[in-house]
Amino acid sequence: MVAARITVNGKETPISPAAPHTTVLDFLRERGLTGTKEGCAEGECGACSVLVARPGVNKPTDWVAVNACLVPVAALDGQEVITSEGLATAGESGMPVALHPVQEEMAVRGGSQCGYCTPGFICSMASEYYRPDRCAHPDSAGGTGTGTGTEHGPNGFDLHALSGNLCRCTGYRPIRDAAFAVGTPTRNDPLAQRREQSPPEPAPTEYTRDDSAFLRPSTLSDALRLLRERTDAVVVAGSTDWGVEVNIRSRRANCVIAVDRLPELREMRVESDHIVIGAAQTLTEIERRLDGSIPLLAELFPQFASRLIRNSATLGGNLGTGSPIGDSPPVLLALEASVVLADADGEREVPLSDYFTGYRQSVRRPGELIRAVRIPLPLSPVAAFHKIAKRRFDDISSVAVAFALDIEDGIVRKARIGLGGVAATPIRALATEAALEGKPWAAETVEAASQVLQAQGTPMDDHRASAGYRSAMLGQSLLKLYAQTTEAVSS
């Protein structure tokens, strides 16, 4: 097997002698690329942002910004990485002779003061700069006004691309100005040209140091065989959860198995009666491929962490952790989704409502992994996702509520409600569903059902919210849904 290597700013370099748990951030800084900073080591500040060549949605390659603090460098074996230093045009001496357009705009518009966060902002901004379907929005002249205009510039720049980058001294207005001022890549821009060729195929990896191993099997059957043999293995996809464990809690694994590039886990298939979403597709890939065809997921994605996290995180990973405050389970519960579990002996399909068995526990057996999520069709026409958190974006839920209702002739024919943050597991609000079904979609029905919803689950007091607040928010969420639907009908 070929020795593990990574291409950084166009130069190939061996990963050895880095330990298997070494992050891309530490690997780069040890090689003098100190523009990549450590701010939080949890994927929340974006100071460590770098660009990775990934399979594209609209072109063969997308330049995707990721948190270098979370990704093991061994996970990028055979891959291409660009840092903030690599964006500028370099001369023969290696020194930059011309700033990249996003660097230029940040400089001339005062988007940098202390400079600590600036390289991360620039990499995230460059990812959006190279997004192939970025185009001007007619309702966003000057980036002012309401609706889309406040978050999209006249150049089509989506400010959500910077939602995972924090600045503590400059203020965001000049950074926003720089983002809304960048033009489009020129024809001779090498990174723009690079999008027309496919990214490197994921390299099968067997990287071992000091009795620890990072393994990337090439097929699902190989991965399932490894899982049966290595019962101590940690399975990772985007590493957005495991990376935090490594950095903050100093967790180490004897064996890590990466499944994020397995073709069998990256399918997207639309059938007449269901949609299959591969467990290892990133949330950004799912969002762009579905393009709003599942409205409930379309509401979820902008509220799920940040773009940097969504560029790496997967549905399989979010369900696999079993967290009671994960944002996708309530939505998938409302959609009546099921999970396809695979092991060396075969596959089985489990309704998500039967999947969780306790705090961070599930029916998934040793040696099994989530291969796909299956969503039945047709979809309920009335849907909403309400996330209650301390920040509008890039925050953990205090309460998450997802609704999917069929309302015909003013009667609730079917109701599915998923809840997060109010029990040891994500749950269906069965009692509230029963209180709605067969009843008129009217204020009296909704007010009574909201009282039922307040009593669902077993919320607790913690640093994010009190139990009483969580219960109150459950009831309010149903009243909000009713107000939104009646307002839509009246307008």
Side-chain angles (χ1 to χ4, degrees):
M1 185 171 289
V2 178
R5 305 180 73 83
I6 182 174
T7 299
V8 180
N9 298 334
K11 296 180 180 179
E12 192 176 70
T13 182
I15 290 174
S16 178
H21 67 265
T22 301
T23 64
V24 174
L25 166 67
D26 289 339
F27 179 85
L28 294 173
R29 290 186 62 81
E30 287 169 2
R31 280 150 185 80
L33 295 169
T34 53
T36 309
K37 310 292 188 185
E38 179 177 300
C40 65
E42 296 183 273
E44 291 190 353
C45 75
C48 64
S49 172
V50 298
L51 297 174
V52 179
R54 291 269 176 83
V57 175
N58 298 300
K59 284 187 178 291
T61 288
D62 281 345
W63 286 111
V64 177
V66 301
N67 292 112
C69 73
L70 298 178
V71 182
V73 68
L76 297 184
D77 178 20
Q79 303 300 295
E80 297 176 26
V81 174
I82 300 292
T83 70
S84 58
E85 294 93 340
L87 286 170
T89 302
E92 293 183 3
S93 66
M95 296 300 291
V97 297
L99 292 178
H100 187 276
V102 297
Q103 295 171 324
E104 178 74 20
E105 292 297 344
M106 282 284 278
V108 301
R109 296 178 188 277
S112 177
Q113 282 190 23
C114 81
Y116 195 89
C117 70
T118 305
F121 265 101
I122 283 172
C123 284
S124 294
M125 196 179 294
S127 177
E128 178 67 5
Y129 175 76
Y130 288 114
R131 179 165 60 87
D133 57 348
R134 178 172 64 92
C135 59
H137 286 258
D139 65 338
S140 59
T144 59
T146 60
T148 302
T150 62
E151 293 169 1
H152 289 81
N155 57 355
F157 193 102
D158 182 2
L159 278 182
H160 281 287
L162 306 181
S163 62
N165 295 84
L166 302 181
C167 173
R168 299 190 181 275
C169 61
T170 304
Y172 294 97
R173 196 268 305 158
I175 296 173
R176 174 179 175 271
D177 290 347
F180 286 176
V182 295
T184 56
T186 61
R187 290 184 179 181
N188 61 354
D189 183 323
L191 295 184
Q193 293 174 343
R194 177 64 186 83
R195 299 177 303 181
E196 305 301 328
Q197 290 82 44
S198 298
E201 290 292 326
T205 302
E206 188 175 332
Y207 185 72
T208 304
R209 288 289 183 278
D210 302 324
D211 298 323
S212 295
F214 184 97
L215 308 176
R216 181 187 296 284
S218 57
T219 67
L220 177 59
S221 60
D222 288 343
L224 297 175
R225 175 183 54 78
L226 282 171
L227 282 175
R228 173 164 287 183
E229 295 172 355
R230 299 295 300 261
T231 57
D232 61 335
V234 172
V235 177
V236 299
S239 203
T240 55
D241 188 73
W242 177 246
V244 176
E245 295 292 314
V246 169
N247 292 338
I248 303 302
R249 297 180 178 87
S250 298
R251 292 276 302 279
R252 300 291 183 264
N254 292 328
C255 178
V256 171
I257 299 176
V259 299
D260 55 312
R261 310 314 296 174
L262 292 177
E264 300 93 335
L265 271 63
R266 291 183 49 74
E267 65 176 336
M268 171 80 75
R269 193 172 73 250
V270 180
E271 305 288 352
S272 60
D273 61 346
H274 68 275
I275 296 176
V276 174
I277 301 173
Q281 286 196 84
T282 69
L283 299 184
T284 292
E285 290 173 325
I286 298 169
E287 177 184 15
R288 291 177 177 166
R289 286 174 178 152
L290 288 177
D291 194 24
S293 59
I294 301 181
L296 198 46
L297 284 176
E299 285 197 39
L300 162 69
F301 290 133
Q303 301 180 69
F304 191 114
S306 67
R307 176 62 71 192
L308 277 171
I309 292 295
R310 296 197 297 275
N311 285 343
S312 294
T314 64
L315 282 184
N318 202 227
L319 296 175
T321 63
S323 171
I325 53 174
D327 283 339
S328 72
V331 168
L332 295 174
L333 284 168
L335 291 171
E336 298 184 279
S338 57
V339 291
V340 179
L341 302 174
D343 65 12
D345 295 324
E347 294 184 353
R348 60 186 178 125
E349 187 171 331
V350 177
L352 189 61
S353 55
D354 298 331
Y355 174 77
F356 301 104
T357 59
Y359 179 72
R360 292 190 178 271
Q361 297 177 335
S362 72
V363 299
R364 187 161 52 91
R365 298 187 288 248
E368 274 188 323
L369 55 75
I370 301 172
R371 185 182 68 77
V373 173
R374 189 176 184 274
I375 298 172
L377 298 175
L379 303 171
S380 296
V382 177
F385 176 64
H386 297 162
K387 176 174 177 173
I388 294 90
K390 292 184 177 181
R391 295 194 302 261
R392 185 182 176 202
F393 297 117
D394 197 12
D395 201 5
I396 296 173
S397 298
S398 297
V399 179
V401 188
F403 299 97
L405 279 64
D406 290 349
I407 303 173
E408 298 177 5
D409 300 324
I411 303 298
V412 181
R413 304 299 181 186
K414 186 175 83 170
R416 295 293 181 266
I417 305 172
L419 307 179
V422 295
T425 68
I427 61 172
R428 279 261 304 276
L430 299 175
T432 308
E433 294 172 2
L436 289 171
E437 291 181 341
K439 306 287 178 56
W441 183 242
E444 183 178 353
T445 300
V446 172
E447 287 172 5
S450 72
Q451 296 298 313
V452 177
L453 187 53
Q454 284 192 52
Q456 299 267 249
T458 53
M460 60 181 290
D461 295 320
D462 64 16
H463 64 283
R464 293 191 185 92
S466 67
Y469 177 80
R470 287 186 162 100
S471 294
M473 289 301 98
L474 289 179
Q476 287 297 313
S477 67
L478 184 56
L479 298 177
K480 178 181 179 179
L481 175 69
Y482 179 70
Q484 289 173 330
T485 56
T486 52
E487 179 180 320
V489 171
S490 63
S491 61

PDB file of all heavy atoms in Angstrom, residues 345-360:
ATOM      1  N   ASP A 345     -23.342  -9.617   7.866  1.00  0.00           N
ATOM      2  CA  ASP A 345     -24.337 -10.650   7.544  1.00  0.00           C
ATOM      3  C   ASP A 345     -25.474 -10.142   6.663  1.00  0.00           C
ATOM      4  O   ASP A 345     -26.273 -10.941   6.177  1.00  0.00           O
ATOM      5  CB  ASP A 345     -24.925 -11.225   8.836  1.00  0.00           C
ATOM      6  CG  ASP A 345     -23.881 -11.959   9.661  1.00  0.00           C
ATOM      7  OD1 ASP A 345     -23.002 -12.609   9.046  1.00  0.00           O
ATOM      8  OD2 ASP A 345     -23.929 -11.877  10.897  1.00  0.00           O
ATOM      9  N   GLY A 346     -25.578  -8.832   6.474  1.00  0.00           N
ATOM     10  CA  GLY A 346     -26.657  -8.312   5.654  1.00  0.00           C
ATOM     11  C   GLY A 346     -27.174  -6.983   6.159  1.00  0.00           C
ATOM     12  O   GLY A 346     -26.470  -6.257   6.871  1.00  0.00           O
ATOM     13  N   GLU A 347     -28.415  -6.664   5.796  1.00  0.00           N
ATOM     14  CA  GLU A 347     -29.012  -5.377   6.143  1.00  0.00           C
ATOM     15  C   GLU A 347     -30.376  -5.567   6.788  1.00  0.00           C
ATOM     16  O   GLU A 347     -31.033  -6.592   6.597  1.00  0.00           O
ATOM     17  CB  GLU A 347     -29.174  -4.500   4.895  1.00  0.00           C
ATOM     18  CG  GLU A 347     -27.879  -4.067   4.256  1.00  0.00           C
ATOM     19  CD  GLU A 347     -28.103  -3.122   3.089  1.00  0.00           C
ATOM     20  OE1 GLU A 347     -29.279  -2.915   2.705  1.00  0.00           O
ATOM     21  OE2 GLU A 347     -27.108  -2.579   2.566  1.00  0.00           O
ATOM     22  N   ARG A 348     -30.786  -4.560   7.537  1.00  0.00           N
ATOM     23  CA  ARG A 348     -32.144  -4.502   8.073  1.00  0.00           C
ATOM     24  C   ARG A 348     -32.574  -3.046   8.122  1.00  0.00           C
ATOM     25  O   ARG A 348     -31.743  -2.139   8.221  1.00  0.00           O
ATOM     26  CB  ARG A 348     -32.239  -5.138   9.460  1.00  0.00           C
ATOM     27  CG  ARG A 348     -31.362  -4.479  10.528  1.00  0.00           C
ATOM     28  CD  ARG A 348     -31.407  -5.252  11.838  1.00  0.00           C
ATOM     29  NE  ARG A 348     -30.534  -4.667  12.841  1.00  0.00           N
ATOM     30  CZ  ARG A 348     -30.938  -4.283  14.063  1.00  0.00           C
ATOM     31  NH1 ARG A 348     -32.212  -4.424  14.426  1.00  0.00           N
ATOM     32  NH2 ARG A 348     -30.078  -3.766  14.930  1.00  0.00           N
ATOM     33  N   GLU A 349     -33.867  -2.831   8.051  1.00  0.00           N
ATOM     34  CA  GLU A 349     -34.414  -1.483   8.093  1.00  0.00           C
ATOM     35  C   GLU A 349     -35.215  -1.306   9.373  1.00  0.00           C
ATOM     36  O   GLU A 349     -36.053  -2.136   9.722  1.00  0.00           O
ATOM     37  CB  GLU A 349     -35.303  -1.238   6.872  1.00  0.00           C
ATOM     38  CG  GLU A 349     -35.777   0.192   6.749  1.00  0.00           C
ATOM     39  CD  GLU A 349     -36.479   0.464   5.429  1.00  0.00           C
ATOM     40  OE1 GLU A 349     -36.135  -0.212   4.427  1.00  0.00           O
ATOM     41  OE2 GLU A 349     -37.355   1.345   5.393  1.00  0.00           O
ATOM     42  N   VAL A 350     -34.935  -0.195  10.078  1.00  0.00           N
ATOM     43  CA  VAL A 350     -35.571   0.060  11.375  1.00  0.00           C
ATOM     44  C   VAL A 350     -36.216   1.437  11.345  1.00  0.00           C
ATOM     45  O   VAL A 350     -35.545   2.425  11.001  1.00  0.00           O
ATOM     46  CB  VAL A 350     -34.528   0.016  12.521  1.00  0.00           C
ATOM     47  CG1 VAL A 350     -35.178   0.344  13.859  1.00  0.00           C
ATOM     48  CG2 VAL A 350     -33.836  -1.343  12.557  1.00  0.00           C
ATOM     49  N   PRO A 351     -37.503   1.539  11.675  1.00  0.00           N
ATOM     50  CA  PRO A 351     -38.099   2.878  11.790  1.00  0.00           C
ATOM     51  C   PRO A 351     -37.333   3.706  12.810  1.00  0.00           C
ATOM     52  O   PRO A 351     -36.941   3.196  13.871  1.00  0.00           O
ATOM     53  CB  PRO A 351     -39.528   2.588  12.266  1.00  0.00           C
ATOM     54  CG  PRO A 351     -39.793   1.170  11.876  1.00  0.00           C
ATOM     55  CD  PRO A 351     -38.468   0.466  11.979  1.00  0.00           C
ATOM     56  N   LEU A 352     -37.103   4.969  12.488  1.00  0.00           N
ATOM     57  CA  LEU A 352     -36.343   5.805  13.412  1.00  0.00           C
ATOM     58  C   LEU A 352     -37.040   5.913  14.762  1.00  0.00           C
ATOM     59  O   LEU A 352     -36.380   6.050  15.794  1.00  0.00           O
ATOM     60  CB  LEU A 352     -36.128   7.200  12.805  1.00  0.00           C
ATOM     61  CG  LEU A 352     -35.175   8.106  13.570  1.00  0.00           C
ATOM     62  CD1 LEU A 352     -33.776   7.505  13.640  1.00  0.00           C
ATOM     63  CD2 LEU A 352     -35.124   9.498  12.952  1.00  0.00           C
ATOM     64  N   SER A 353     -38.358   5.821  14.777  1.00  0.00           N
ATOM     65  CA  SER A 353     -39.104   5.893  16.040  1.00  0.00           C
ATOM     66  C   SER A 353     -38.778   4.707  16.955  1.00  0.00           C
ATOM     67  O   SER A 353     -39.024   4.769  18.164  1.00  0.00           O
ATOM     68  CB  SER A 353     -40.602   5.936  15.770  1.00  0.00           C
ATOM     69  OG  SER A 353     -41.005   4.843  14.964  1.00  0.00           O
ATOM     70  N   ASP A 354     -38.204   3.617  16.395  1.00  0.00           N
ATOM     71  CA  ASP A 354     -37.802   2.457  17.190  1.00  0.00           C
ATOM     72  C   ASP A 354     -36.293   2.369  17.370  1.00  0.00           C
ATOM     73  O   ASP A 354     -35.800   1.429  18.000  1.00  0.00           O
ATOM     74  CB  ASP A 354     -38.283   1.157  16.522  1.00  0.00           C
ATOM     75  CG  ASP A 354     -39.797   1.074  16.412  1.00  0.00           C
ATOM     76  OD1 ASP A 354     -40.478   1.667  17.273  1.00  0.00           O
ATOM     77  OD2 ASP A 354     -40.277   0.429  15.467  1.00  0.00           O
ATOM     78  N   TYR A 355     -35.564   3.323  16.816  1.00  0.00           N
ATOM     79  CA  TYR A 355     -34.105   3.220  16.780  1.00  0.00           C
ATOM     80  C   TYR A 355     -33.461   3.555  18.117  1.00  0.00           C
ATOM     81  O   TYR A 355     -32.575   2.848  18.597  1.00  0.00           O
ATOM     82  CB  TYR A 355     -33.575   4.140  15.677  1.00  0.00           C
ATOM     83  CG  TYR A 355     -32.073   4.255  15.610  1.00  0.00           C
ATOM     84  CD1 TYR A 355     -31.305   3.236  15.058  1.00  0.00           C
ATOM     85  CD2 TYR A 355     -31.418   5.394  16.092  1.00  0.00           C
ATOM     86  CE1 TYR A 355     -29.918   3.339  14.987  1.00  0.00           C
ATOM     87  CE2 TYR A 355     -30.038   5.510  16.023  1.00  0.00           C
ATOM     88  CZ  TYR A 355     -29.300   4.480  15.472  1.00  0.00           C
ATOM     89  OH  TYR A 355     -27.937   4.586  15.424  1.00  0.00           O
ATOM     90  N   PHE A 356     -33.885   4.644  18.756  1.00  0.00           N
ATOM     91  CA  PHE A 356     -33.269   5.092  20.011  1.00  0.00           C
ATOM     92  C   PHE A 356     -33.840   4.299  21.186  1.00  0.00           C
ATOM     93  O   PHE A 356     -35.051   4.150  21.321  1.00  0.00           O
ATOM     94  CB  PHE A 356     -33.507   6.579  20.229  1.00  0.00           C
ATOM     95  CG  PHE A 356     -32.960   7.448  19.134  1.00  0.00           C
ATOM     96  CD1 PHE A 356     -33.810   8.012  18.196  1.00  0.00           C
ATOM     97  CD2 PHE A 356     -31.604   7.688  19.017  1.00  0.00           C
ATOM     98  CE1 PHE A 356     -33.323   8.812  17.175  1.00  0.00           C
ATOM     99  CE2 PHE A 356     -31.089   8.474  17.999  1.00  0.00           C
ATOM    100  CZ  PHE A 356     -31.961   9.042  17.079  1.00  0.00           C
ATOM    101  N   THR A 357     -32.953   3.802  22.039  1.00  0.00           N
ATOM    102  CA  THR A 357     -33.384   3.002  23.191  1.00  0.00           C
ATOM    103  C   THR A 357     -33.036   3.635  24.530  1.00  0.00           C
ATOM    104  O   THR A 357     -33.550   3.208  25.562  1.00  0.00           O
ATOM    105  CB  THR A 357     -32.748   1.601  23.126  1.00  0.00           C
ATOM    106  OG1 THR A 357     -31.315   1.733  23.129  1.00  0.00           O
ATOM    107  CG2 THR A 357     -33.188   0.856  21.876  1.00  0.00           C
ATOM    108  N   GLY A 358     -32.180   4.616  24.562  1.00  0.00           N
ATOM    109  CA  GLY A 358     -31.774   5.270  25.798  1.00  0.00           C
ATOM    110  C   GLY A 358     -30.789   6.371  25.485  1.00  0.00           C
ATOM    111  O   GLY A 358     -30.484   6.643  24.314  1.00  0.00           O
ATOM    112  N   TYR A 359     -30.277   7.018  26.536  1.00  0.00           N
ATOM    113  CA  TYR A 359     -29.351   8.120  26.330  1.00  0.00           C
ATOM    114  C   TYR A 359     -28.131   7.636  25.550  1.00  0.00           C
ATOM    115  O   TYR A 359     -27.379   6.777  26.008  1.00  0.00           O
ATOM    116  CB  TYR A 359     -28.925   8.712  27.673  1.00  0.00           C
ATOM    117  CG  TYR A 359     -27.930   9.849  27.535  1.00  0.00           C
ATOM    118  CD1 TYR A 359     -28.340  11.086  27.045  1.00  0.00           C
ATOM    119  CD2 TYR A 359     -26.585   9.676  27.869  1.00  0.00           C
ATOM    120  CE1 TYR A 359     -27.438  12.132  26.893  1.00  0.00           C
ATOM    121  CE2 TYR A 359     -25.673  10.711  27.734  1.00  0.00           C
ATOM    122  CZ  TYR A 359     -26.108  11.931  27.238  1.00  0.00           C
ATOM    123  OH  TYR A 359     -25.203  12.961  27.081  1.00  0.00           O
ATOM    124  N   ARG A 360     -27.967   8.172  24.332  1.00  0.00           N
ATOM    125  CA  ARG A 360     -26.888   7.798  23.422  1.00  0.00           C
ATOM    126  C   ARG A 360     -26.823   6.292  23.183  1.00  0.00           C
ATOM    127  O   ARG A 360     -25.744   5.713  22.980  1.00  0.00           O
ATOM    128  CB  ARG A 360     -25.538   8.332  23.913  1.00  0.00           C
ATOM    129  CG  ARG A 360     -25.445   9.859  23.847  1.00  0.00           C
ATOM    130  CD  ARG A 360     -24.038  10.355  24.112  1.00  0.00           C
ATOM    131  NE  ARG A 360     -23.930  11.800  24.005  1.00  0.00           N
ATOM    132  CZ  ARG A 360     -23.657  12.467  22.876  1.00  0.00           C
ATOM    133  NH1 ARG A 360     -23.491  11.797  21.752  1.00  0.00           N
ATOM    134  NH2 ARG A 360     -23.564  13.780  22.876  1.00  0.00           N
TER     135      ARG A 360
END
